[in-house]
Amino acid sequence: MSELLRGKPRARWYLLPLGMPAFAAFVICVVTGVLLVPVYKPGLPFDSVAMLLLKNPAGAYMRSLHYWSAQAFLVLTMLHVLDHWRRRSETRIGFGIWGRLALSIPAVVAVMLTGFLLRGDVASTQALNVLRSLLSFVPFVGAVLVRILTGSGPDRTAVYLHHAATLTILIWLVTIEHARRLLPRATTTAQMLPPLLALSFFLVPGLGWRATAIEKGPWYLVGLQELLHWMARPAIAVWLMLLSLLVFILLPKFPRGFRPWIRGTMAIAAGVYALLSVMGIGFRGEGWRLQSPLTLWKEEPHALSFRSYTSPDPKLLAINVPIVEDHREGCLACHAVMTGFVPAHDPKTVGCASCHLGNPLTLNPALAHAGMTLTPGNLTLANRTCGDSNCHAEVLTRVQGSLMNTMSGVIAVDKFAFGESADLNAHFEVARLGTSAADTHLRQLCASCHLGQDKEKPAPIDDSSRGGGCSACHLRYDPAAAAELGRRGGSLAPQHHPDVSIQVAPQACFGCHSRSGRIATNYEGWHETQLEEPAAKARPGWPSQFRVLGDGRVFAKRPADIHFEKGMTCVDCHLAAEVMSDGTAHSHEREAVRVACIDCHAAGATPARDFAQLDPETQQIVAMRRFNVPGRRFVASPGGAAHAGTFLGPDGRPRLSLLESGRLLEPRVAAAVCTGPAHARLTCEACHTSWAPQCIGCHTSFDPRAQGWDHLAGKLVKGAWQEDAANFEGDAPALGVETATQPDGQNTERITTFAPGMVMRLELPTGAKAQTRFLRLYAPVSPHTTPGKARDCRSCHANPAALGYGRGKLTYVVQGNTAEWKFLAAYPASPADGLPEDAWIGFLREPGLGTTTRKGARPFSLQEQRLCLLVGACLSCHTGKEPRIVAVFADFKHYRRSLRAECTLPAWADAAVDQAIARTGTGLGRMVSQR
Amino acid sequence: MTTVSLPMPAGNAARFYDDAIVITEKGQTAVFSPVCPHLGCHINRLEEGELICPCHGSRFNLRGQLTHGPSTQGLQPLSFEIDAVRATLRIAVKS
């Protein structure tokens, strides 16, 4: 740079004048431009260029030569200007010539920019908008300049005229004066042609077929774009450019002593502009956010090559390429016969490239398929596919923040268990997991299940499927579509596409939800065993009573959920706003659930809404399922959500139309016992759960010598987490108390089902010496094992497992006029805390703190245990269906005096009832319901 | 001013047209000019609940308010009428 400032020439290649090669490139550019005139339509700029690329290989090559000669002209002109700058030409030529040469620099930029604008694609339209805004800032003549130079509206006629005539003639005239010749030397032109012909053959300039998330403009103006990104007052940029041009023109007129300062300032400005250009080109990604150049390179399709001029089948050139979504969709030249779509996703409506990317502006298969994706549902690129701004962008935003994608609840509990976080409601994102012990544990054993896990190749959803973003739920292969997969790579184009719709199959949920709480397998009546497949085969009942999943786990038959037996699938209950998030950042999945059993099973009147009162998303689903029958009212949940597939029948009772079969169900009304005061505090699940999978004696350890699979990184890493369980039980779950926020915002305690969440010995890799933690944390669960008939009274009131003591024998022992409960545990006591391995709390003991994986959840207090066992004491002789037993518990204090002599109660019975009545009022039933 | 007729988006959505951005969220509809107040680019992206100008990165929330520059102003709201029968919006735009 100092040499340039001092003006000492050196005989190096980059300091050659290069004026004549620039002139030659200019003339080649003019000639190719003239040849393009017959095929270019200024009134249809984008379509005429698109048709050139699709159908006119010779024209496409001419456009390529035009483009590359223009780029060569610009670069060589810049180097030529640099050469004049270096040689201080302003002092050696007349002021008039210097001024005209200086003015030709913006003319060169303008002729290049107008060429960019003539592409007519979205990028050029955005550039035209910016140009018009910038021109309008020119003092006094801004508005006139806008109209004269760019015309108005989308028409490019004015731009075309200036590009082809005004600017071209102006530059040629200045060049003639400067070079003192009409045409460049023939030898120079001959030397320029071969590299330009080759470059044009191998690197074909593309055409943007859709809006992108960042519009940088042509490369030589990216520095200006970067500058404008930082400028709230862009007029200043225009004034600075005009001032710089004026100073450059007047440079010879400045006193000799000032010129080094001016030259230095302009050299610094040029350097800053170069840095801004590098910043913009190399580091700016979608939304003008900073990104690494590597990421940018990976995201850009790099498919331009000489193959643009070749087509495997000349017949394709005769096909009329249809216009879809404002652009020619070349994909349909080969794939027009593709079937299997719902109308909204028909390629004749949305094209192929809007989902699968690639390049629709070519008929060459290799080029068309370059940069395309076979798994467009993956969330890593869904903002350009399913979640594109004109498709489902709003849904994508919600899904990205949903618990199925962030796994926030899972992470919060895991970090709590590992002692890395004290807040069970803290928010996390699986994609941002680090390298802590909990993070690596999650990466290896949990992260495969998050929705954002990329699906690697197209495949039907099966019981081993994980992740896949939108496709995880909305993609459904029928046999014809599945058969296409077997023909991949053949010469025949596929003809049947999997269904992409709201018809979400239960298999979509099965893969991930057969893990953890295993609600998917529970629902279908399968309980995981610790058997290997060969051992299972030797068992009685094989194969009908066993099921082996794709990952090798063996499940044994258990009672299925009554809703499954009735043909219901996951989305017959669960709403779009639940599974795809309602936009709220929930901590745990139970908070996201908005449906309730009483939506369908309420004993009284069922709240419902008209179609017009539904939220727009539910309206859309109702319309797609064609349920929008005049007068129909749709069932609304107390949580505010409405069901698209559940509506009131003529008798005012709900009717549920099943998504899979279309069958219409008439849900049963809740029994009287459900609505009585004694059980008002219970969730439906508390009684209507037949079994839940429960892991006993888990042991989680880290082996630093083994290798584990990091699901996020997709590679083997040093050190492996391992989980072992002593036993899997599949019986009735424990009951406990959960704090739930009601629709009115009030927090209320509800008795619900709990299962071991984190009952385990955890060996943490802490430095050189492992640290062992023992955890006995239960989690509130919805096992999805609803039986046809609710559990009986004794299964709660006299069941040690239900009360949290663990499995064993709970006996009511009466001796004379005294009585007491005794418990003999089935599992041995844990050396860590003295409780049986499968217990949650100690027998008739006040539980301590830190017993659950949820904030606001807890086991029964000692008083609640006693009240429950008090009922159990009566049930040791009576059945719960005896009317007098029901009456006794409706007002225990009153009937206590009239109990028979043989009705011996525990010593603590009266005290327990008195304590409860003191807090809540009279009567055991009311006490329980009002607590 | 002229009036253009555009389809009413179904569901919660942001739809981008040459003349307008139509946003429906929680049953409410809003219509804005797609022209970025900064330098006139047409805003055509919705990401993470924000409307983003692709040219220089200005960001606006779904109420059209500026959340991040370089623009110094929010999006211009456009007046509109809902034609419930035809499920369309009649929007007044600059001719």
Side-chain angles (χ1 to χ4, degrees), chain A residues 418-726:
Chain A
F418 276 68
E420 295 180 11
S421 169
D423 185 0
L424 280 164
N425 285 349
H427 290 273
F428 298 95
E429 285 183 44
V430 69
R432 299 185 183 206
L433 285 178
T435 55
S436 70
D439 288 349
T440 55
H441 177 249
L442 289 159
R443 278 171 171 272
Q444 292 185 19
L445 300 185
C446 312
S448 72
C449 271
H450 85 279
L451 197 62
Q453 185 81 0
D454 275 356
K455 187 173 181 174
E456 292 173 358
K457 60 181 181 181
I461 296 167
D462 61 23
D463 60 31
S464 300
S465 295
R466 304 281 190 275
C470 310
S471 304
C473 297
H474 293 284
L475 193 70
R476 188 169 183 151
Y477 280 80
D478 62 11
E484 295 282 10
L485 292 173
R487 299 197 295 107
R488 275 186 67 201
S491 57
L492 193 63
Q495 298 184 352
H496 200 85
H497 194 280
D499 174 51
V500 182
S501 71
I502 59 166
Q503 201 74 16
V504 178
Q507 288 85 355
C509 314
F510 193 94
C512 288
H513 291 284
S514 67
R515 290 282 184 180
S516 191
R518 293 163 173 76
I519 53 174
T521 41
N522 299 351
Y523 185 65
E524 296 184 11
W526 296 108
H527 171 56
E528 186 172 340
T529 69
Q530 291 169 303
L531 295 172
E532 300 287 337
E533 187 174 351
K537 282 180 175 172
R539 293 286 179 101
W542 176 271
S544 63
Q545 296 301 302
F546 291 91
R547 178 177 179 181
V548 183
L549 298 190
D551 57 10
R553 288 180 295 152
V554 177
F555 285 70
K557 198 82 193 92
R558 281 281 198 285
D561 193 294
I562 185 68
H563 301 97
F564 173 74
E565 290 176 347
K566 295 287 182 187
M568 290 175 63
T569 63
C570 310
V571 291
D572 283 319
C573 282
H574 291 293
L575 309 174
E578 293 176 330
V579 292
M580 297 194 296
S581 170
D582 57 3
T584 309
H586 297 295
S587 299
H588 299 280
E589 100 287 346
R590 292 172 76 81
E591 298 165 18
V593 174
R594 296 168 72 181
V595 295
C597 306
I598 60 162
D599 297 353
C600 289
H601 298 287
T606 301
R609 295 179 193 160
D610 294 326
F611 177 79
Q613 296 171 307
L614 301 175
D615 65 275
E617 187 167 61
T618 308
Q619 281 183 340
Q620 199 174 6
I621 297 168
V622 166
M624 281 191 277
R625 295 184 69 182
R626 298 179 182 174
F627 287 165
N628 188 17
V629 176
R632 180 168 278 176
R633 289 175 61 74
F634 296 85
V635 169
S637 183
H643 295 255
T646 310
F647 36 82
L648 299 185
D651 56 358
R653 294 295 312 157
R655 301 287 189 279
L656 171 60
S657 177
L658 302 187
L659 186 69
E660 283 291 301
S661 62
R663 219 175 117 207
L664 204 61
L665 297 184
E666 294 184 31
R668 284 165 55 181
V669 178
V673 68
C674 303
T675 53
H679 293 112
R681 226 177 130 216
L682 271 65
T683 62
C684 301
E685 289 160 338
C687 296
H688 293 272
T689 296
S690 58
W691 60 277
Q694 293 160 73
C695 178
I696 312 297
C698 282
H699 177 216
T700 298
S701 59
F702 183 77
D703 183 348
R705 291 162 299 180
Q707 282 198 314
W709 182 258
D710 184 328
H711 288 287
L712 285 187
K715 63 180 184 183
L716 283 169
V717 292
K718 194 178 176 191
W721 283 98
Q722 293 161 341
E723 282 184 345
D724 307 296

Side-chain angles (χ1 to χ4, degrees), chain A residues 590 682-692 694 731-738 750-756 778-785 791 796 802 840 857-858 860:
Chain A
R590 292 172 76 81
L682 271 65
T683 62
C684 301
E685 289 160 338
C687 296
H688 293 272
T689 296
S690 58
W691 60 277
Q694 293 160 73
D731 47 14
L735 298 177
V737 182
E738 179 186 29
R750 305 266 287 168
I751 295 170
T752 192
T753 43
F754 281 72
Y778 268 53
V781 291
S782 298
H784 288 67
T785 56
R791 41 196 305 189
C796 291
W840 184 10
R858 60 176 177 81
F860 286 137

Side-chain angles (χ1 to χ4, degrees), chain A residues 295-356:
Chain A
T295 308
L296 290 176
W297 177 260
K298 283 180 183 171
E299 287 178 355
E300 290 291 324
H302 306 283
L304 305 178
S305 81
F306 65 93
R307 286 182 294 191
S308 278
Y309 313 121
T310 63
S311 173
D313 186 354
K315 289 178 189 169
L316 290 177
L317 296 176
I319 290 175
N320 180 32
V321 179
I323 293 177
V324 177
E325 294 207 318
D326 299 332
H327 67 263
R328 298 277 172 181
E329 187 78 8
C331 316
L332 292 174
C334 294
H335 298 288
V337 294
M338 185 75 90
T339 58
F341 299 97
V342 294
H345 291 138
D346 190 331
K348 295 178 183 66
T349 308
V350 297
C352 305
S354 56
C355 296
H356 288 284

